[in-house]
Amino acid sequence: MKLCPATVYLWFTFVEDIQDEKLLSEYRRLLPASELEKLERYRFDKHRKRYLVGRALIRTILSRCTGLEAKQIAFSREDHGRPFLLPFGTSPPPEFNISYTDGLVAAALSLECRVGIDVENSSREIDCLEIAERYFSSAEYTELEQLPEPLLKERFFELWTLKEAYVKAQGRGLHIPLDEVSFHLGNANSDPAESTSVVTDDGRQWQFRTLKPSDRHKAALCIGQETDIPLKVISKKTIPLVADDDFTMYKD
């Protein structure tokens, strides 16, 4: 698979779509011993399956674009835990990020940009305002207070995924307080996919996209690069080792 410059690729895999035990066994064969050991440490079957599908997803994607065998792909971690692909050959390895939530796994990939992806199951019952009061900026909290349900919950998950995507792209984890990353998305009826914020504290131009992979899932993408060249974002639905169907939700 040839990656194009100035393009970010997203893949979404819905875990419930995979029921074939033979296929799940094939996924296990893609994982090295260290990941198989981690897999077995999960207490609940649904978490074990989600992790297995996620590792199969990122390993098959990276295998297709690097030419390496899926099981041979080696990762390391930055100081604050962000994973990266170890160099191979003479070309810099692609940037990637992965996110898990109930029912969904997502991966982002780019040749040259820092990427962060976050997905959340927005159907779960939570106290949005209580969480926002602790982790959101005062402006974001005030905006949420003024919204009725279900707009409140929709906007909460848009903001939460944007924050998480930015933190993951930066790779500094909890060293970036979430209330210091503030987004203004316009009125509640505006299309958040059109929202773009730029943060330049480290010299990068940060761009953001929001997506809705399903009726019960929210996703956000953060892209960091050293220029303001417009980027193309392509999303696809896939089942590792089976399908890579067109599933474009946002493309520009």
Side-chain angles (χ1 to χ4, degrees):
M1 180 178 65
K2 184 178 180 180
L3 300 178
C4 297
T7 304
V8 177
Y9 300 86
L10 300 180
W11 287 267
F12 294 91
T13 297
F14 293 90
V15 180
E16 292 91 342
D17 289 347
I18 305 171
Q19 300 297 332
D20 188 343
E21 290 298 327
K22 290 183 178 179
L23 182 58
L24 293 171
S25 295
E26 288 297 317
Y27 291 168
R28 293 178 67 94
R29 295 189 181 98
L30 301 176
L31 274 56
S34 59
E35 292 182 3
L36 288 173
E37 290 172 4
K38 182 174 181 179
L39 176 69
E40 296 306 320
R41 289 198 295 268
Y42 282 97
R43 180 178 178 184
F44 298 107
D45 288 343
K46 68 174 184 178
H47 297 152
R48 192 179 301 120
K49 182 179 179 181
R50 185 176 67 186
Y51 176 79
L52 176 61
V53 171
R55 300 319 296 172
L57 175 63
I58 195 61
R59 284 187 172 275
T60 53
I61 290 170
L62 291 173
S63 175
R64 289 174 59 199
C65 70
T66 64
L68 298 173
E69 293 291 333
K71 197 169 185 176
Q72 296 175 337
I73 292 170
F75 302 99
S76 187
R77 290 185 179 274
E78 298 174 356
D79 291 344
H80 299 297
R82 186 179 190 271
F84 65 92
L85 181 63
L86 288 175
F88 61 93
T90 57
S91 301
E95 293 276 353
F96 77 93
N97 199 233
I98 189 167
S99 183
Y100 304 78
T101 192
D102 287 344
L104 179 65
V105 179
L109 192 69
S110 172
L111 268 180
E112 51 206 1
C113 303
R114 292 278 288 197
V115 289
I117 180 75
D118 186 61
V119 292
E120 298 289 342
N121 187 328
S122 58
S123 66
R124 56 195 174 100
E125 293 301 321
I126 60 172
D127 189 329
C128 297
L129 287 179
E130 180 182 357
I131 296 173
E133 188 173 21
R134 293 179 60 191
Y135 296 109
F136 286 16
S137 70
S138 58
E140 290 169 331
Y141 179 77
T142 299
E143 177 190 354
L144 288 175
E145 272 191 312
Q146 298 171 359
L147 295 177
E149 287 282 2
L151 292 179
L152 165 61
K153 194 172 185 181
E154 287 281 308
R155 183 48 51 95
F156 171 85
F157 278 105
E158 288 163 1
L159 292 169
W160 183 266
T161 53
L162 284 166
K163 289 170 176 289
E164 288 289 334
Y166 175 66
V167 168
K168 293 179 70 177
Q170 279 274 13
R172 291 192 285 150
L174 296 178
H175 286 72
I176 304 178
L178 291 181
D179 60 354
E180 292 183 8
V181 184
S182 186
F183 294 88
H184 175 65
L185 302 182
N187 65 65
N189 295 317
S190 65
D191 182 359
E194 299 298 326
S195 301
T196 299
S197 297
V198 178
V199 183
T200 58
D201 59 338
D202 61 354
R204 282 194 177 96
Q205 301 288 325
W206 296 97
Q207 301 179 33
F208 299 86
R209 303 286 189 274
T210 59
L211 306 98
K212 192 172 183 179
S214 78
D215 289 341
R216 62 189 181 98
H217 291 101
K218 291 285 189 182
L221 171 69
C222 175
I223 309 163
Q225 60 176 351
E226 295 180 355
T227 70
D228 58 358
I229 296 175
L231 296 172
K232 180 185 292 184
V233 178
I234 299 176
S235 318
K236 291 187 176 183
K237 176 182 178 180
T238 187
I239 296 177
L241 300 181
V242 175
D244 191 16
D245 301 328
D246 284 341
F247 188 64
T248 303
M249 296 171 292
Y250 187 93
K251 183 176 179 179
D252 69 352

